[in-house]
Amino acid sequence: MTQQGVRWTADQVLALAPDAASRKAGSKLGAAGPWSEAGSSDEGTVWGLCKGSGSKPYQTVVDIADVAGPAYKCTCPSRKFPCKHALGLLLLWAGGDGAVPTAEAPDWAEQWIEGRKKRAGEKQAAGAGGSASGPADPDAARRRAERRAERVTAGATELEQRLADLLRGGLASAEQAGYGLWEETAARMVDAQASGLAARVRELGAIPGSGPGWPVRLLEECALLHLLDQGWLRRDRLPDGLAATVRSRIGLPASADGPSTRDRWLVLAQYDTADAKLTTRRIWLYGAESDRTCLLLSYGAAGRAPELALPVGLALEAEVSAHPGAGRLRVSLGEQFAPPAPAAIRPPGMTTARAAARYGEALRDDPWLDAVPVTLDRVIPTPDGDSWQLADADEDSALPLSPAARSRPGLWRLVALSGGAPVKVFGECGHRGFTPLTAWPERPGGAVTLC
């Protein structure tokens, strides 16, 4: 079946939106009114002209058959990918009411399609040529790694002194010093090429202003940071798996080194987080044959969404390879054998008590782990005072929702989907609570995104 024969749902289209504003704006363009000359091809390309504020309509084209996820082109000035016009066009196509008929692509769309094919061929040829030229100099790579390790060690040693000074002076001094102290310390960790340490130091700066009980939270985070420092400084004494986890938490890059696993991977969830320099996209996958949940990470410059986008609820047949570290959850995407397509796959679920136990077990191998991916089976969203929890329908146990989950619109989508009945929910379970990302009704139905 060609990709054109597969219709996505509106939820799957909107899951591609880089932010809430794009999701809202794209939804408004999902009707036929602003569109003209819309069409699609059997090869999986959708195009159309969208009326804008200027005299010329925006030319929008989307390749939905790309195995790495949809690719977009629009003549609008937006720097978001996909822009609201691409989202609106996909929503129009997903409606399946004849508004986007099968047709021959116009010249402007055909030029973009052919250009993509040409660049893909050139990239493949360049990759083949690079592999034929032989591997990079291993001695030079080893020397670079040694120099970086020396800088990280110097940074970790300095950070230990900063933490000792804080505890010696008392935690109250952190509130008086303000955020500037931590930002300066984080900058020193960046200079030491220890981005993981820098990120955790910046988090310390926000704790003194986080409300009642902040000294306890600050002490806990300082203890974890001290543990990570000591793990790095004594990494030669650690088991291989824990040493790899420490290197990853410090911020040292590591290529995938595990054997390739081919499976039909269900896209469980996709969401972005951003800071001043980087947008990080997390995509959770579940392997139907391997019964394995794993994580894809992709990155984009600040203000720009990463290129890799996989609609939630679709499945792709592909190979993945694991990165080193505890649990080996993170993977790299290898060869893909077909574009993402709808699937009836659902991951098996567990009770809330088992989910909490799984997080505790994972902490033995990675003490810095914020959460683990779990799927809860037959849970009901239930008010708990001023908060919410997911209560087991068949047992007397529950998991509180995390503060982040309670502030998202996705909570009300989950409540509406449940209507007081049990649902299956995938999310992240950690010390702050459970963050739901995707849900399925007990009756037959597609995935509903909550993030």
Side-chain angles (χ1 to χ4, degrees), residues 109-136:
E110 188 63 34
Q111 289 175 5
W112 180 75
I113 296 167
E114 292 301 319
R116 280 180 52 78
K117 291 179 180 178
K118 181 180 179 181
R119 288 190 295 273
E122 291 173 348
K123 184 177 180 180
Q124 185 175 8
S131 61
S133 63

Side-chain angles (χ1 to χ4, degrees), residues 282-345:
R282 290 170 170 82
I283 303 176
W284 286 106
L285 303 175
Y286 170 74
E289 298 296 328
S290 60
D291 190 26
R292 173 185 175 192
T293 301
C294 55
L295 176 66
L296 280 175
L297 293 179
S298 59
Y299 303 94
R304 298 180 68 92
E307 290 187 6
L308 181 62
L310 299 174
V312 174
L314 300 188
L316 68 156
E317 187 170 352
E319 291 181 343
V320 302
S321 299
H323 286 248
R328 301 182 73 84
L329 282 177
R330 186 187 172 190
V331 298
S332 288
L333 191 60
E335 184 176 357
Q336 299 151 73
F337 304 98
I345 304 168

Side-chain angles (χ1 to χ4, degrees), residues 178-179 182 200-211 214 217-218:
Y179 191 77
W182 301 109
R200 298 190 79 94
V201 168
R202 289 193 180 96
E203 291 175 0
L204 292 183
I207 294 177
S210 62
W214 70 261
R217 294 191 292 275
L218 180 61

Side-chain angles (χ1 to χ4, degrees), residues 11-382:
D11 269 347
Q12 288 165 344
V13 171
L14 292 175
L16 300 170
D19 51 41
S22 297
R23 189 178 298 114
K24 182 177 180 180
S27 297
K28 294 180 179 179
L29 294 175
W35 293 95
S36 61
E37 299 183 29
S40 58
S41 72
D42 289 335
E43 287 73 34
T45 307
V46 184
W47 60 83
L49 302 176
C50 187
K51 180 176 176 56
S53 56
S55 58
K56 291 185 177 181
Y58 296 124
Q59 298 174 344
T60 308
V61 57
V62 182
D63 180 3
I64 53 178
D66 193 309
V67 292
Y72 320 92
K73 172 66 176 179
C74 185
T75 55
C76 75
S78 175
R79 296 182 61 191
K80 296 180 180 179
F81 293 94
C83 67
K84 62 182 181 180
H85 306 101
L87 289 170
L89 179 60
L90 285 177
L91 287 171
L92 190 67
W93 165 77
D97 57 1
V100 185
T102 302
E104 184 175 344
D107 290 343
W108 55 268
E110 188 63 34
Q111 289 175 5
W112 180 75
I113 296 167
E114 292 301 319
R116 280 180 52 78
K117 291 179 180 178
K118 181 180 179 181
R119 288 190 295 273
E122 291 173 348
K123 184 177 180 180
Q124 185 175 8
S131 61
S133 63
D137 183 356
D139 290 335
R142 177 181 52 79
R143 289 193 295 271
R144 287 194 298 270
E146 289 174 351
R147 288 195 295 270
R148 181 168 187 177
E150 291 173 357
R151 287 191 287 269
V152 172
T153 297
T157 303
E158 180 179 345
L159 182 55
E160 282 292 279
Q161 185 60 52
R162 297 283 179 106
L163 292 174
D165 291 344
L166 171 65
L167 296 179
R168 190 178 297 112
L171 295 180
S173 63
E175 188 175 32
Q176 298 166 1
Y179 191 77
L181 168 66
W182 301 109
E183 187 57 39
E184 188 270 336
T185 304
R188 295 284 293 166
M189 296 305 103
V190 172
D191 292 342
Q193 293 187 291
S195 58
L197 289 179
R200 298 190 79 94
V201 168
R202 289 193 180 96
E203 291 175 0
L204 292 183
I207 294 177
S210 62
W214 70 261
V216 174
R217 294 191 292 275
L218 180 61
L219 186 60
E220 290 173 348
E221 292 302 319
C222 285
L224 286 172
L225 192 52
H226 167 68
L227 184 65
L228 183 56
D229 264 349
Q230 289 298 314
W232 171 261
L233 296 174
R234 305 181 186 187
R235 60 193 181 279
D236 294 339
R237 309 180 197 176
L238 300 179
D240 291 344
L242 184 56
T245 298
V246 168
R247 287 193 292 269
S248 174
R249 293 294 181 186
I250 287 286
L252 298 185
S255 300
D257 64 353
S260 296
T261 301
R262 179 170 176 170
D263 207 336
R264 195 174 184 209
W265 299 97
L266 173 67
V267 184
L268 289 173
Q270 173 181 292
Y271 67 95
D272 295 350
T273 56
D275 57 28
K277 296 183 178 180
L278 196 67
T279 299
T280 302
R281 172 163 293 164
R282 290 170 170 82
I283 303 176
W284 286 106
L285 303 175
Y286 170 74
E289 298 296 328
S290 60
D291 190 26
R292 173 185 175 192
T293 301
C294 55
L295 176 66
L296 280 175
L297 293 179
S298 59
Y299 303 94
R304 298 180 68 92
E307 290 187 6
L308 181 62
L310 299 174
V312 174
L314 300 188
L316 68 156
E317 187 170 352
E319 291 181 343
V320 302
S321 299
H323 286 248
R328 301 182 73 84
L329 282 177
R330 186 187 172 190
V331 298
S332 288
L333 191 60
E335 184 176 357
Q336 299 151 73
F337 304 98
I345 304 168
R346 290 189 182 187
M350 65 182 67
T351 64
T352 57
R354 179 69 193 113
R358 175 169 289 187
Y359 176 56
E361 293 162 1
L363 286 175
R364 293 182 303 192
D365 298 322
D366 184 354
W368 308 277
L369 188 65
D370 286 329
V372 293
V374 296
T375 301
L376 301 177
D377 209 12
R378 291 182 52 77
V379 291
I380 302 172
T382 307

